[in-house]
């Protein structure tokens, strides 16, 4: 009976203060919606610039151009090619039989067989186009010897490496290969030949390692822009080979900055970047950062000592994508900084969202206090 009496009293109070109760309910709904919109994760676009030692990614579009017009290559090493064909005019002092050939069918006899191309004059990598689902692993630049290296892992469609020898002879060194219809030799087979065409293509159908000796005179960018990608990783495994439990993952990030939801996170050396799926979707730009006479220097003061250190070298990668959470930390399991996207963060900064949520919470407390006080005082 008492609960029935309390209900009737509460109902009389609502009818008596109908306008206030309506405003209260509407305000309460808006407050809860603002808190919901400010807290619940929502996927948003992000962008960033990173300087890295190496990184890996998977191509998500057919015929994606990765490398273009790499001039004056002095040496190209390709490891892992199983079977390929060379066509042209051949000359060899070691094996005159090759001089009669116009086409060589070559097959590997070792797992790590290596084809080395050493130009005698101008030699250009015209382009490297990736097919969908091609994996590029451990793309890195070694500044000490000016080399660009990476692993190519085609999926179902072959990848073409297109070179332009400019009509000049090329020295080929085969390590761990045999030539069809010729006696097999244990040592490397050095031979020189002229290509019958102005373009030299190699069709890559299996995983290989590519190593390019770049020219110091290369001025224009060699990487193409706006490559659609997935599964981007700024890290590399450290494998002991003894016990899987001993294996580690090392961050390859040197420095960088990520921006999302009007917030920024600065990355320092060896920190991990953890991005929820879909994550990085476009490589906007890739640039080689190497030592030159105009490079900026970093000044550090330690007590009374002044230290001068050169700026870091590596690959500068501009990325963009979509996610609802970005985390950064030296340990990927224990990140120290985070940006989380929400509906309100698309339009407001973090301080404004905190202010709205704080104001909303205070308003709810005030309205509830007024409601209970006046209901208790009502007859």
């Amino acid at each position: 009976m008492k609960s029935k009496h309390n209900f009737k009293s509460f109902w009389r109070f609502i009818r008596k203060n109908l306008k206030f109760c309506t405003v209260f309910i509407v305000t309460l709904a808006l407050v809860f919606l603002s808190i919901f919109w400010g807290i619940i994760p929502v996927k948003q676009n992000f962008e960033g610039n990173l300087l890295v030692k190496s990184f890996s990614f998977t191509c998500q579009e057919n015929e994606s151009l990765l490398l273009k017009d790499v001039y004056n290559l002095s040496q190209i090493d390709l490891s892992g090619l199983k079977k390929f064909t060379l066509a042209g005019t051949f000359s060899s002092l070691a094996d005159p039989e090759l001089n009669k050939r116009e086409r060589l069918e070559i097959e590997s006899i070792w797992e790590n067989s290596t084809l080395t191309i050493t130009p005698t004059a101008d030699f250009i990598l015209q382009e490297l186009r990736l097919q969908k689902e091609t994996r590029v692993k451990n793309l890195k630049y070694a500044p000490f010897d000016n080399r660009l290296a990476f692993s190519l892992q085609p999926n179902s469609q072959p990848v073409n490496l297109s070179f332009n020898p400019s009509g000049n002879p090329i020295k080929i060194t085969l390590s761990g290969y045999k030539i069809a219809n010729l006696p097999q030799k244990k040592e490397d087979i050095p031979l020189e030949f002229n290509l019958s065409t102005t373009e030299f293509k190699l069709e890559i159908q299996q995983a290989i390692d590519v190593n390019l000796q770049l020219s110091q005179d290369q001025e224009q960018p060699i990487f193409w822009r706006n490559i659609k990608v997935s599964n981007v990783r700024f890290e590399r495994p450290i494998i002991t080979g003894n016990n899987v439990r001993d294996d580690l993952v090392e961050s390859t990030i040197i420095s960088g900055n990520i921006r999302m939801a009007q917030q920024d996170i600065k990355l320092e050396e060896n920190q991990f970047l953890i991005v929820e799926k879909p994550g990085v979707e476009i490589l906007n730009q890739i640039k080689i950062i190497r030592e030159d006479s105009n490079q900026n220097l970093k000044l550090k003061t330690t007590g009374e000592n002044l230290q001068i250190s050169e700026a870091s070298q590596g690959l500068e990668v501009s990325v963009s994508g979509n996610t609802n959470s970005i985390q950064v930390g030296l340990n990927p399991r224990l990140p120290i900084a985070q940006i989380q996207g929400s509906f309100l963060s698309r339009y407001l900064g973090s301080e404004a969202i905190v202010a709205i949520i704080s104001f909303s919470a205070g308003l709810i407390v005030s309205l509830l206090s007024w409601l209970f006080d006046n209901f208790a005082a009502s007859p």
Side-chain angles (χ1 to χ4, degrees):
M1 293 296 293
K2 187 175 181 180
S3 60
K4 187 176 181 180
H5 173 74
N6 290 338
F7 177 77
K8 287 181 178 181
S9 299
F10 183 70
W11 182 247
R12 283 197 303 269
F13 174 80
I14 290 177
R15 285 188 296 176
K16 184 178 179 181
N17 300 275
L18 184 60
K19 289 183 178 181
F20 171 81
C21 290
T22 302
V23 172
F24 174 77
I25 293 172
V26 172
T27 303
L28 192 64
L30 292 175
V31 166
F32 277 112
L33 280 175
S34 66
I35 295 175
F36 178 82
W37 288 335
I39 295 177
I40 298 301
V42 175
K43 289 181 180 178
Q44 294 190 36
N45 295 331
F46 70 90
E47 61 183 11
N49 286 290
L50 303 168
L51 181 62
V52 300
K53 301 170 188 173
S54 64
F55 72 105
S56 305
F57 63 90
T58 300
C59 178
Q60 285 300 311
E61 191 174 35
N62 284 328
E63 298 296 326
S64 289
L65 184 60
L66 177 63
L67 292 172
K68 180 175 175 61
D69 293 338
V70 187
Y71 291 102
N72 299 329
L73 288 166
S74 56
Q75 184 172 307
I76 301 96
D77 295 310
L78 305 174
S79 300
L81 278 172
K82 301 301 181 186
K83 193 175 183 180
F84 58 96
T85 301
L86 298 178
T89 303
F90 301 89
S91 61
S92 173
L93 296 176
D95 197 340
E97 180 65 25
L98 295 177
N99 302 336
K100 305 174 184 179
R101 302 293 187 91
E102 293 182 354
R103 187 181 182 89
L104 298 180
E105 302 290 339
I106 301 170
E107 187 175 351
S108 66
I109 56 177
W110 300 341
E111 185 176 348
N112 59 343
S113 299
T114 301
L115 162 65
T116 300
I117 305 171
T118 309
T120 58
D122 293 343
F123 192 74
I124 303 170
L125 193 163
Q126 286 185 312
E127 62 179 31
L128 168 58
R129 289 188 179 272
L130 306 177
Q131 300 297 335
K132 190 172 183 180
E133 299 302 327
T134 299
R135 182 72 175 162
V136 178
K137 291 188 66 178
N138 199 28
L139 176 60
K140 62 183 177 181
Y141 171 70
F144 59 89
D145 59 355
N146 198 29
R147 284 182 177 265
L148 185 70
F150 54 92
S151 296
L152 274 179
Q153 297 181 349
N155 187 23
S156 56
Q157 303 180 66
V159 174
N160 288 322
L161 266 170
S162 300
F163 299 95
N164 182 358
S166 303
N168 298 304
I170 304 167
K171 181 180 178 182
I172 297 292
T173 302
L174 300 174
S175 301
Y177 286 98
K178 65 178 180 179
I179 300 175
N181 302 320
L182 283 179
Q184 182 176 335
K185 296 184 177 182
K186 295 182 180 180
E187 69 274 12
D188 292 348
I189 308 174
L191 58 122
E192 293 183 357
F193 64 93
N194 291 311
L195 294 177
S196 57
T197 61
T198 57
E199 190 175 62
F200 171 37
K201 283 188 178 181
L202 285 173
E203 190 176 79
I204 312 301
Q205 298 181 336
Q206 66 284 317
I208 68 164
D209 294 328
V210 181
N211 199 311
L212 306 175
Q213 179 73 61
L214 303 179
S215 168
Q216 293 288 355
D217 299 329
Q218 179 82 35
E219 295 181 357
Q220 70 183 64
I222 63 174
F223 291 101
W224 208 238
R225 300 186 178 191
N226 299 329
I227 304 171
K228 294 182 180 179
V229 295
S230 65
N231 195 24
V232 179
R233 294 287 182 268
F234 299 103
E235 57 192 40
R236 68 179 185 90
I238 302 176
I239 301 173
T240 62
N242 298 322
N243 193 318
V244 177
R245 291 181 298 178
D246 297 330
D247 296 345
L248 299 173
V249 177
E250 179 185 62
S251 171
T252 59
I253 293 175
I254 299 172
S255 62
N257 188 75
I258 293 289
R259 180 172 179 79
M260 185 182 78
Q262 302 185 46
Q263 300 180 59
D264 291 86
I265 292 184
K266 182 179 179 181
L267 289 95
E268 298 180 355
E269 191 167 5
N270 298 327
Q271 284 189 319
F272 287 89
L273 175 64
I274 305 104
V275 183
E276 296 293 333
K277 290 184 178 181
V280 176
E281 296 178 303
I282 297 177
L283 299 177
N284 301 309
Q285 188 176 28
I286 306 172
K287 293 172 59 178
I288 291 176
I289 305 299
R290 55 184 167 184
E291 181 181 2
D292 57 48
S293 58
N294 297 320
Q295 190 176 42
N296 294 327
L297 298 179
K298 298 178 180 178
L299 301 179
K300 299 180 181 180
T301 56
T302 307
E304 297 179 355
N305 298 322
L306 179 64
Q307 299 178 350
I308 301 178
S309 62
E310 294 182 351
S312 298
Q313 303 173 65
L315 293 174
E316 186 179 77
V317 188
S318 172
V319 301
S320 59
N322 189 272
T323 188
N324 58 20
S325 177
I326 295 175
Q327 297 177 318
V328 170
L330 288 173
N331 189 322
R333 297 181 180 179
L334 300 170
I336 62 168
Q338 179 180 17
I339 299 177
Q340 184 167 292
S342 66
F343 178 79
L344 288 181
S345 64
R346 293 180 178 178
Y347 313 101
L348 302 173
S350 58
E351 294 182 357
I353 294 174
V354 171
I356 289 174
I357 293 175
S358 301
F359 173 77
S360 301
L363 185 59
I364 290 176
V365 172
S366 299
L367 291 173
L368 287 175
S369 298
W370 186 94
L371 181 64
F372 289 133
D373 291 343
N374 283 269
F375 176 69
S378 64

